[in-house]
């Protein structure tokens, strides 16, 4: 299948040159048929994948596809991005808004669930569509319309009890450095904000996103920035990602990782132990291992609590405590995440 690549030239680019990460972010596979071809998969399963992709489109950078095992339909990286017929099954207890985020929307684009911190939905775009995403049905159009961030910034400025702001989405690191700089300048002008936290999967699928310009931007202000990556499998910790993370760690950046426990992806103690080791070698500290949020379309990824706790106990027996992420679940209405095993 002929591949077409669409690029958008921004003011951030020098001349006609785009940063490498932006070229890779534009160089996507969005057709399941092309992904099947790239990975030499049996085409008999393609119709079901095509049907499932209609509700939540396939979106995966070629950089990430390069990490997958050719000819293996059960590859754990592929399983995270390839649409599957199970997504179309309706399961009791699963919903479009599993965390009741609509009830915690202070103003459009801003969620306030926990004491002392608030979350900014800065974009609806992601570098990759993860099939288990708890915001796969999120109404971004109502949160990002109009003046976008203006109401959220006004709300934050009027709330001196908020000390930490979390950038989320979508994925905040799909924004250009220039666009992020505009937002960070506005946030830095609010004196009671002391910590900045960014949650992103983009560096896992496009390590080049951790470029020098972004590093300079995130280390220049008065606050300390915490970057929380989202890697679920040790093969996602590529040499390119290791090099970038080590560089950022040496610059004083706090790097954490949160994973989601996923059936058929990382529900084995060997996999989880290897992931923690790989993360720490890269200068990233394992932080949370989340139980799946009950979003409609992702029930086939669920791991029962009893098995999750057994896995966590095996992980504690194998690794030093600082390499064992807390097993947690987020429950609507609770003042903090529920720790299933610490």
């Amino acid at each position: 299948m002929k591949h077409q690549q669409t690029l958008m030239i921004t003011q951030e680019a020098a001349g006609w040159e785009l940063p490498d990460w932006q070229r890779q972010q534009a160089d996507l596979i969005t057709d399941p048929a092309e992904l099947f071809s790239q990975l030499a998969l049996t085409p008999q399963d393609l119709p079901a994948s095509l049907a499932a992709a209609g509700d939540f489109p396939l979106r995966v950078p070629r950089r990430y596809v390069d990490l997958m095992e050719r000819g293996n339909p059960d590859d754990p990286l592929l399983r995270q991005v390839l649409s599957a017929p199970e997504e179309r099954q309706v399961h009791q207890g699963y919903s479009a808004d599993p965390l009741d985020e609509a009830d915690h929307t202070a103003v459009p684009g801003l969620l306030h669930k926990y004491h002392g911190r608030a979350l900014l939905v800065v974009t609806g775009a992601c570098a990759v569509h993860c099939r288990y995403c708890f915001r796969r049905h999120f109404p971004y159009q109502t949160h990002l319309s109009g003046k976008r961030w203006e109401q959220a910034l006004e709300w934050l400025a009027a709330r001196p009890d908020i000390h930490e702001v979390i950038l989320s989405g979508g994925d905040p690191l799909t924004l250009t450095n220039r666009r992020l700089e505009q937002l960070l300048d506005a946030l830095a002008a609010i004196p009671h904000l002391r910590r900045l936290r960014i949650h992103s999967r983009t560096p896992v699928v496009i390590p080049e996103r951790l470029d020098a310009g972004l590093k300079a931007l995130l280390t220049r202000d008065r606050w300390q920035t915490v970057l929380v990556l989202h890697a679920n499998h040790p093969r996602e910790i590529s040499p390119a990602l290791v090099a970038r993370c080590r560089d950022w760690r040496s610059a004083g950046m706090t790097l954490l990782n949160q994973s989601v426990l996923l059936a058929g992806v990382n529900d084995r103690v060997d996999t989880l132990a290897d992931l923690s080791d790989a993360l720490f070698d890269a200068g990233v500290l394992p932080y949370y291992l989340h139980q799946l949020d009950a979003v409609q379309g992702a029930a086939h990824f669920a791991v029962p609590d009893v098995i999750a706790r057994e896995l966590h106990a095996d992980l504690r027996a194998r690794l030093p405590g600082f390499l064992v992420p807390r097993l947690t679940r987020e429950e609507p209405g609770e003042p903090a995440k529920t720790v299933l095993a610490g």
Side-chain angles (χ1 to χ4, degrees):
M1 177 177 294
K2 185 177 179 181
H3 165 58
Q4 293 182 339
Q5 182 177 1
T6 303
L7 297 179
M8 180 181 293
I9 303 299
T10 70
Q11 291 182 339
E12 188 173 9
W16 293 99
E17 291 296 322
L18 281 174
D20 186 38
W21 72 267
Q22 281 187 268
R23 290 196 297 272
Q24 293 188 44
Q25 186 168 274
D27 189 16
L28 299 169
I29 293 178
T30 58
D31 183 352
E34 184 178 4
L35 185 58
F36 270 64
S37 176
Q38 288 286 322
L39 295 174
L41 298 175
T42 304
Q44 66 186 22
D45 295 326
L46 180 58
S49 184
L50 286 168
D55 298 324
F56 185 44
L58 172 72
R59 181 183 179 91
V60 55
R62 295 171 190 276
R63 191 78 158 81
Y64 187 64
V65 175
D66 289 343
L67 301 177
M68 298 177 187
E69 182 182 353
R70 286 174 58 84
N72 181 8
D74 298 318
D75 179 84
L77 276 59
L78 174 65
R79 183 170 169 79
Q80 295 178 69
V81 301
L82 181 63
S83 46
E86 293 90 344
E87 297 179 34
R88 310 192 78 187
Q89 299 173 1
V90 176
H91 290 266
Q92 187 175 3
Y94 287 73
S95 71
D97 183 12
L99 303 182
D100 291 346
E101 291 191 319
D103 294 338
H104 298 285
T105 300
V107 294
L110 188 141
L111 305 178
H112 181 220
K113 290 190 275 188
Y114 299 140
H115 176 75
R117 52 204 185 272
L119 183 147
L120 269 175
V121 179
V122 301
T123 178
C126 283
V128 61
H129 281 176
C130 302
R131 309 315 300 180
Y132 53 88
C133 179
F134 72 97
R135 290 201 182 120
R136 58 183 291 169
H137 307 290
F138 191 78
Y140 289 105
Q141 66 278 4
T142 65
H143 285 261
L144 299 173
S145 59
K147 295 185 178 180
R148 201 165 183 175
W149 300 330
E150 186 174 292
Q151 282 183 282
L153 290 168
E154 290 176 354
W155 187 93
L156 288 168
R159 290 292 299 265
D161 59 311
I162 302 297
H163 305 301
E164 178 177 7
V165 63
I166 303 163
L167 304 190
S168 184
D171 193 315
L173 294 191
T174 60
L175 298 179
T176 66
N177 291 348
R178 177 166 295 189
R179 191 75 175 107
L180 280 170
E181 183 176 23
Q182 294 171 346
L183 176 59
L184 295 183
D185 284 346
L187 291 171
I190 301 175
H192 52 267
L193 295 180
R194 300 199 303 263
R195 289 186 301 274
L196 174 69
R197 191 182 348 151
I198 298 175
H199 285 241
S200 179
R201 185 154 165 79
T202 295
V204 175
V205 298
I206 305 175
E208 290 77 9
R209 182 61 189 101
L210 299 181
D211 62 13
L214 181 61
K215 181 175 70 173
L217 178 62
L218 296 180
T219 55
R220 69 175 191 179
D221 286 315
R222 55 180 169 75
W223 49 34
Q224 184 178 11
T225 301
V226 178
L227 176 60
V228 183
L229 301 178
H230 177 181
N232 296 317
H233 193 276
R235 270 204 280 123
E236 294 180 334
I237 315 303
S238 64
L241 179 61
V242 170
R244 299 277 173 156
C245 287
R246 286 177 176 174
D247 177 58
W248 277 45
R249 185 72 184 87
S250 67
M253 185 75 71
T254 300
L255 301 177
L256 305 175
N257 183 74
Q258 61 178 17
S259 304
V260 180
L261 185 59
L262 301 166
V265 174
N266 57 10
D267 55 340
R268 295 173 58 88
V269 67
D270 290 345
T271 303
L272 293 172
D274 289 347
L275 174 60
S276 284
D277 280 333
L279 286 166
F280 192 69
D281 287 346
V284 183
L285 195 65
Y287 174 44
Y288 279 140
L289 176 62
H290 288 288
Q291 273 289 53
L292 181 77
D293 294 318
V295 63
Q296 197 62 253
H300 55 293
F301 285 112
V303 176
D305 281 357
V306 62
I307 296 177
R309 287 190 171 99
E310 289 173 358
L311 283 169
H312 197 269
D314 291 342
L315 197 61
R316 291 199 309 270
R318 183 174 300 198
L319 295 176
F322 62 87
L323 289 185
V324 180
R326 282 173 287 176
L327 178 66
T328 63
R329 169 180 284 113
E330 189 161 356
E331 297 179 325
E334 292 300 317
K337 289 180 174 61
T338 301
V339 177
L340 304 178

